[in-house]
Amino acid sequence: QVQLVESGGGLVQAGGSLRLSCAASGRTFTTSAMGWFRQAPGKEREFVAAISSSGIRTYYADSVKGRFTISRDNSKKTVYLQMNSLKPEDTAVYYCAVRVGGVHSTERSQYDYWGQGTQVTVSL
């Protein structure tokens, strides 16, 4: 069993920055890929970013490439999402997810456990 707890969401003006954190419990964190997804009102949950278990490989949706950075600290069992140059269209609930023992994926069905989500709101 893995538990994930996100934090760091909030209200920010367009052009601003936020850093999301996702703290994990359980023994499998260091051998698992992690991902961030988001869901805006009335829309499907979509892939944002993923990172390999070692942290060497990272992957991004085209909509956030160059603005968002995913990273992880395996000693703290925590994954981060640094979000810069935020836009109103980034407004959503952001979720972290773990793919136990697996490689990264952009497909939400491939992830085994999810956090409760944290709200990010970007105003004009």
Side-chain angles (χ1 to χ4, degrees), residues 51-58 70-72 74:
I51 189 166
S52 63
S53 58
S54 65
I56 292 175
R57 293 185 174 87
T58 57
I70 188 171
S71 62
R72 65 191 294 162
N74 283 349

Side-chain angles (χ1 to χ4, degrees), residues 1-2 25-33 53 72 77 98-101 113:
Q1 187 78 10
V2 177
S25 65
R27 299 179 181 179
T28 60
F29 180 82
T30 58
T31 59
S32 301
S53 58
R72 65 191 294 162
K77 294 186 179 180
V98 59
R99 191 178 188 205
V100 176
Y113 297 97

